[in-house]
């Protein structure tokens, strides 16, 4: 219980630091990664067993493409609609999409092909949109406490109800884009639409790293490997992939000036 309560504040403090240090795009990539769904998956593996967690990871793998779709729809709609309407439409699309994925095979290879293809298509579609260079959102004092309360409550809720809703729903619900919804909305109401775009665009790319994470989980949990070792390997693999892919996207499509500035700061 204590570990569950500590995970969200530590992760969100890290995201807040990245947001201030490197700007919106990098801070959007981080929550696109399995920042909430990863700990949830780990707790499920400890509490429900490796087989349940492996099947749940396949559901989460489908859910990664749902996160990307949420980000893309939010971006596309927000150019013409207000915050409430944009968020409602994006969340509605996420819900409908998530329900539809329940009818897809619980197969890691099908889930990988489906999710990675969807996210790649969304990633390159967003490169056609124009945004301001290195947009940085207003960091409201109340932003971090809200995210900590929401994410902590979300982790506690999903891990608590997982045994009652089954592995597929557990995996999908764990990928609910709670952090990206909050970050994008705060940037939007701060009159920083370009910053909101950067955050959500980063969320799509981070979700590709999430696919690597859950594909690794679904594969390795079926072998006689310690749970913490499985999640360590998955974390390292997803982070390395995301760093390489985001570097490629920044240099070739998005904003080489901003990326080089961030790299210099590192």
């Amino acid at each position: 219980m204590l570990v569950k309560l500590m995970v969200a504040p530590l992760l969100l403090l890290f995201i807040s630091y990245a947001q201030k240090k490197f700007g919106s795009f990098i801070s959007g990539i981080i929550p696109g990664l399995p920042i909430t769904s990863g700990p949830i998956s780990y707790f499920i593996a400890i509490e429900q067993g490796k087989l349940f967690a492996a099947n749940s990871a396949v559901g989460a793998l489908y859910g990664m493409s749902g996160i990307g779709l949420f980000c893309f729809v939010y971006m596309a709609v927000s150019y013409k609609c207000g915050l409430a309407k944009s968020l409602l439409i994006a969340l509605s699309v996420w819900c409908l999409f998530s329900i539809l994925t329940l009818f897809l095979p619980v197969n890691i290879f099908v889930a990988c092909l489906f999710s990675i293809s969807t996210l790649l298509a969304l990633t390159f579609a967003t490169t056609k949109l124009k945004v301001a260079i290195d947009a940085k959102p207003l960091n409201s004092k109340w932003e971090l406490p809200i995210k900590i309360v929401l994410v902590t409550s979300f982790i506690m809720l999903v891990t608590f109800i997982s045994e009652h809703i089954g592995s597929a729903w557990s995996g999908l619900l764990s990928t609910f884009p709670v952090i990206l919804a909050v970050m994008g909305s705060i940037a939007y109401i701060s009159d920083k639409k370009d910053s909101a775009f950067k955050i959500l665009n980063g969320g799509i790319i981070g979700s590709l790293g999430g696919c690597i994470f859950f594909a690794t989980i679904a594969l390795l949990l079926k072998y006689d490997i310690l749970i913490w070792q499985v999640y360590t390997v998955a974390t390292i693999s997803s982070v390395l992939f995301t760093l390489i892919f985001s570097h490629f996207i920044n240099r070739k499509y998005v904003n080489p000036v901003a990326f080089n500035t961030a790299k210099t700061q590192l």
Side-chain angles (χ1 to χ4, degrees):
M1 178 68 73
L2 181 61
V3 175
K4 291 181 184 180
L5 293 174
M6 292 174 60
V7 166
L10 291 174
L11 291 174
L12 291 170
L13 284 171
F14 175 66
I15 293 173
S16 179
Y17 170 79
Q19 188 173 19
K20 294 177 182 178
K21 185 74 174 177
F22 305 116
S24 302
F25 181 70
I26 300 299
S27 66
I29 288 177
I30 297 171
L33 289 164
I35 292 295
T36 54
S37 54
I40 288 172
S41 178
Y42 179 78
F43 294 134
I44 286 176
I46 296 294
E47 297 171 3
Q48 307 298 330
K50 295 171 72 173
L51 180 59
F52 188 100
N55 291 332
S56 177
V58 176
L61 190 51
Y62 283 121
M64 287 293 108
S65 56
I67 292 178
L69 190 60
F70 164 83
C71 292
F72 183 81
V73 172
Y74 199 163
M75 281 189 288
V77 176
S78 64
Y79 277 100
K80 295 183 179 181
C81 302
L83 169 64
K85 187 174 182 180
S86 300
L87 186 59
L88 178 62
I89 292 174
L91 289 175
S92 298
V93 170
W94 180 87
C95 290
L96 179 60
F97 179 83
S98 297
I99 292 172
L100 291 176
T101 60
L102 292 173
F103 296 96
L104 297 175
V106 184
N107 181 288
I108 184 174
F109 299 106
V110 174
C112 274
L113 180 61
F114 178 85
S115 294
I116 291 177
S117 299
T118 300
L119 290 169
L120 285 175
L122 293 173
T123 298
F124 292 112
T126 57
T127 62
K128 305 301 181 182
L129 302 176
K130 304 295 183 181
V131 295
I133 293 177
D134 200 24
K136 293 185 179 181
L138 173 67
N139 293 302
S140 305
K141 293 182 179 180
W142 45 269
E143 176 185 354
L144 185 59
I146 288 178
K147 288 191 290 190
I148 288 175
V149 171
L150 287 175
V151 174
T152 303
S153 302
F154 183 68
I155 290 174
M156 298 290 289
L157 175 64
V158 176
T159 53
F160 177 75
I161 66 174
S162 61
E163 63 177 311
H164 304 293
I165 61 176
S167 59
W169 269 110
S170 296
L172 282 173
L173 287 180
S174 71
T175 61
F176 182 80
V178 56
I179 301 180
L180 286 165
V182 172
M183 290 177 64
S185 298
I186 289 174
Y188 189 97
I189 63 177
S190 300
D191 198 25
K192 301 279 187 177
K193 286 188 178 181
D194 289 326
S195 179
F197 173 93
K198 285 281 192 175
I199 291 170
L200 296 167
N201 188 30
I204 296 173
I205 293 174
S207 297
L208 278 163
C211 288
I212 302 302
F213 178 87
F214 283 111
T216 305
I217 295 298
L219 282 172
L220 295 186
L221 281 179
K222 297 179 180 179
Y223 295 94
D224 187 21
I225 305 174
L226 294 177
I227 292 175
W228 71 267
Q229 293 175 334
V230 171
Y231 282 84
T232 300
V233 172
T235 300
I236 293 172
S237 301
S238 64
V239 170
L240 287 177
F241 172 86
T242 305
L243 287 173
I244 294 169
F245 187 76
S246 60
H247 176 81
F248 168 77
I249 289 295
N250 263 291
R251 288 188 62 183
K252 190 166 185 177
Y253 293 102
V254 182
N255 188 2
V257 175
F259 179 80
N260 290 332
T261 301
K263 189 169 67 172
T264 301
Q265 291 175 347
L266 278 170

